[in-house]
Amino acid sequence: MSEGKKTKFVTTGRNKEWTQGAVNPPVQRASSIIFDSVSAKNHATINRAGKTLFYGRRGTNTHFAFQEAMTDIEGGAGCALYPCGTAAITNAILSFVSSGDHILMVDTCYEPTRDFCEKIMKKMGVETTYYDPMIGKEIESLIQPNTKILFTESPGSITMEVQDIPTLSRIAHAHDIIVILDNTWAAGVNFSPFEHGVDISVQAATKYIVGHSDVMLGTAVANEKCWDQLREQSYLMGQCVSPDDAYLGLRGIRTLDVRLRQHAQSSLKIARWLAERPEVDHVRHPALETCPGHTYFQRDFTGGNGLFSFVLKTSHPRATTALLDHMQHFSMGYSWGGFESLILANEPKSFDALRTVAHPHFTGTLIRIHIGLEDTDDLIADLEAGFQRYQAVLDSLSDE
Ligand SMILES: *Cc1c(COP(=O)(O)O)cnc(C)c1O
């Protein structure tokens, strides 16, 4: 019997085999798994890659439950677990490249993804070409005979460009190139990677999957074509997570869909309020027309979340500092995807180090916010007070 999408978040990963009759699976801690007989040991050895207790590094029932749930949600053939999102990204890449290969990397990738290419891939003889997130079918001109991976992230980190994943995937596949997507923003829920041509969908489960800002966790769900290689190569690189963290990832899934819908509703309201502010040049929220790639968002995504950016008309670090200091509900902090609101600023100059081809076309300060589950009225009041502090600094400067 097929299930509705909401029902799936409740039922997935709850086989009796994993739960032992409780609602949730127990946290099963194990390094050694012990066998009653030679034949039981042989059975486990033969089936060690397929959710069978074998040795702790291959996972326990707690891990199997979480992996099954992730695969159910995203739609692939299997899910590998990593101690953080960055490990998921680097292992997904490492599992498929050899010395002499070439990677096409979106210019708006998460900063450590770029650093990995520059500081580790390069010294192993793997070259990276960065491409504009809005390149579309022109990607073909950047493909080399040795191109192995097309890496995408949509929307892009900080500047939020939504990519045309189906077009990019179609062209990549025509050249036998593997498509990897950093699917953290959609949380595996609001963008179906495999229906849009992706081969491996990576997530910082640290963000919305866990959802409570208290666990580091990474996942990579692969299609049939890539699953065996991803699983075995990641295993060889020693990638595994604690059962407690897998448990918390699975628990996050139970409320993932409702949390995302609330984050999305609140963030859209605040994005629209920001768009009307005199201090704001434009808002980069995928659900608004002023976000690059908005039409792809409308075409390919089924919902949003709490993370977006807006650009101020001016760049004045002292005024920005006045805005950011003394916020009541927005905390300054890296990461996002928890229940709480966050805020960070990027002066336009900071993009010099973060971009090589898609340099931003704006000149004001970019502010990235994560809208948590607080009342939107409280958050708007907080931003309004911040804008007053910001304007006060600008006014005092024009008096000088
Ligand atoms: C946070 C983040 C990561 C890295 O995840 P960690 O768990 O912090 O290593 C990767 N990609 C995106 C888009 C992120 O926001």
Side-chain angles (χ1 to χ4, degrees), residues 85-161:
T86 303
I89 292 165
T90 59
N91 277 272
I93 294 173
L94 271 170
S95 296
F96 292 91
V97 292
S98 311
S99 169
D101 284 345
H102 174 245
I103 298 169
L104 281 171
M105 174 60 65
V106 65
D107 201 36
T108 43
C109 63
Y110 180 65
E111 191 178 354
T113 307
R114 173 186 293 269
D115 285 350
F116 173 72
C117 292
E118 292 308 302
K119 294 175 181 165
I120 297 183
M121 285 290 85
K122 193 171 263 177
K123 75 177 181 188
M124 293 172 68
V126 176
E127 288 296 326
T128 303
T129 300
Y130 297 90
Y131 67 90
D132 190 304
M134 303 280 78
I135 195 168
K137 59 185 187 325
E138 299 304 314
I139 193 75
E140 191 141 33
S141 66
L142 298 179
I143 292 174
Q144 303 177 6
N146 58 343
T147 305
K148 215 38 175 295
I149 289 174
L150 172 74
F151 196 101
T152 61
E153 180 180 329
S154 180
S157 271
I158 306 173
T159 42
M160 307 301 296
E161 296 86 347

Side-chain angles (χ1 to χ4, degrees), residues 202-222:
V202 175
Q203 277 197 61
T206 308
K207 309 289 166 56
Y208 280 123
I209 300 287
V210 166
H212 293 72
S213 306
D214 52 4
V215 179
M216 302 298 297
L217 194 60
T219 58
V221 177

Side-chain angles (χ1 to χ4, degrees), residues 85-344:
T86 303
I89 292 165
T90 59
N91 277 272
I93 294 173
L94 271 170
S95 296
F96 292 91
V97 292
S98 311
S99 169
D101 284 345
H102 174 245
I103 298 169
L104 281 171
M105 174 60 65
V106 65
D107 201 36
T108 43
C109 63
Y110 180 65
E111 191 178 354
T113 307
R114 173 186 293 269
D115 285 350
F116 173 72
C117 292
E118 292 308 302
K119 294 175 181 165
I120 297 183
M121 285 290 85
K122 193 171 263 177
K123 75 177 181 188
M124 293 172 68
V126 176
E127 288 296 326
T128 303
T129 300
Y130 297 90
Y131 67 90
D132 190 304
M134 303 280 78
I135 195 168
K137 59 185 187 325
E138 299 304 314
I139 193 75
E140 191 141 33
S141 66
L142 298 179
I143 292 174
Q144 303 177 6
N146 58 343
T147 305
K148 215 38 175 295
I149 289 174
L150 172 74
F151 196 101
T152 61
E153 180 180 329
S154 180
S157 271
I158 306 173
T159 42
M160 307 301 296
E161 296 86 347
V162 184
Q163 294 192 258
D164 184 358
I165 301 289
T167 297
L168 294 168
S169 299
R170 183 173 46 76
I171 294 166
H173 288 153
H175 295 265
D176 225 7
I177 294 167
I178 291 165
V179 179
I180 304 178
L181 167 69
D182 184 332
N183 199 22
T184 304
W185 192 86
V189 173
N190 289 322
F191 181 86
S192 299
F194 303 103
E195 286 169 20
H196 293 94
V198 170
D199 296 301
I200 301 172
S201 172
V202 175
Q203 277 197 61
T206 308
K207 309 289 166 56
Y208 280 123
I209 300 287
V210 166
H212 293 72
S213 306
D214 52 4
V215 179
M216 302 298 297
L217 194 60
T219 58
V221 177
N223 61 11
E224 206 67 60
K225 180 177 79 178
C226 295
W227 171 232
D228 284 353
Q229 187 163 336
L230 175 75
R231 183 191 66 236
E232 293 307 313
Q233 301 254 315
S234 297
Y235 178 70
L236 278 178
M237 289 187 273
Q239 300 300 315
C240 57
V241 308
S242 84
D244 305 79
D245 293 347
Y247 179 91
L248 289 170
L250 182 62
R251 189 164 76 168
I253 286 175
R254 304 302 170 207
T255 56
L256 179 60
D257 189 50
V258 271
R259 281 187 286 115
L260 283 172
R261 275 187 276 135
Q262 184 59 57
H263 283 292
Q265 189 188 329
S266 298
S267 87
L268 192 56
K269 182 173 171 197
I270 292 173
R272 290 194 169 123
W273 178 82
L274 284 164
E276 300 299 317
R277 290 292 307 187
E279 300 87 350
V280 173
D281 181 68
H282 69 284
V283 178
R284 299 169 88 88
H285 185 299
L288 297 188
E289 264 175 33
T290 46
C291 188
H294 163 70
T295 53
Y296 305 130
F297 175 80
Q298 281 189 308
R299 186 190 65 188
D300 299 338
F301 286 67
T302 55
N305 65 28
L307 188 79
F308 67 98
S309 299
F310 59 97
V311 177
L312 299 173
K313 284 181 181 152
T314 58
S315 161
H316 202 289
R318 235 170 77 198
T320 308
T321 299
L323 190 161
L324 296 176
D325 282 348
H326 314 296
M327 297 295 275
Q328 295 275 308
H329 300 289
F330 286 91
S331 312
M332 274 179 277
Y334 295 103
S335 198
W336 47 276
F339 51 81
E340 81 291 4
S341 289
L342 294 168
I343 189 163
L344 283 176

